[in-house]
Amino acid sequence: MNILVLNAGSASLKFDVIATLNSDALPSQECKLASGIIESIGERAKFSLLHNKETIYQRDLEVSDYAEATRCVFDWLSQNPKQSKITRDELNVVTHRVVHGGVR
């Protein structure tokens, strides 16, 4: 199963693409296929690919909100299968990390 995990912050959108292998013989195993961040949403945004938390690729973007940032992630998946190791069409699940903010 291929999972896209999104994590929106105050002015950024982090993402990971994770492949999981479930088998009766093996416990669930996972492999991170890609990781990145779009920073400074609404300003001079930057799209960065990460490997072990180190930036391996970066480019400037015109991104005014989280919807545009999310579209950029999906576009990147569609246009760069060698870097992402899968395409957008091969995603099985898209999820968002949620942190409970109390009464807010």
Side-chain angles (χ1 to χ4, degrees):
M1 180 181 309
N2 297 316
I3 304 168
L4 172 61
V5 180
L6 300 171
N7 181 5
S10 59
S12 67
L13 180 68
K14 296 177 186 174
F15 67 91
D16 289 316
V17 180
I18 300 169
T20 63
L21 172 65
N22 289 317
S23 167
D24 292 338
L26 297 171
S28 177
Q29 296 179 342
E30 64 180 54
C31 173
K32 190 179 290 188
L33 301 177
S35 183
I37 186 170
I38 298 175
E39 298 175 283
S40 301
I41 294 171
E43 299 173 18
R44 291 181 160 178
K46 288 200 181 304
F47 177 95
S48 302
L49 290 180
L50 308 172
H51 181 71
N52 295 328
K53 299 185 180 185
E54 297 285 327
T55 301
I56 58 171
Y57 171 81
Q58 192 170 66
R59 69 180 169 114
D60 293 332
L61 292 175
E62 292 290 325
V63 176
S64 62
D65 59 27
Y66 290 95
E68 284 184 34
T70 303
R71 278 192 292 279
C72 286
V73 173
F74 281 117
D75 289 347
W76 175 76
L77 285 168
S78 295
Q79 298 166 6
N80 298 284
K82 288 185 180 180
Q83 287 179 324
S84 63
K85 300 185 180 73
I86 66 165
T87 66
R88 172 178 138 170
D89 295 334
E90 294 173 299
L91 289 174
N92 303 105
V93 176
V94 177
T95 186
H96 187 279
R97 178 178 176 261
V98 176
V99 176
H100 190 279
V103 294
R104 283 183 79 194

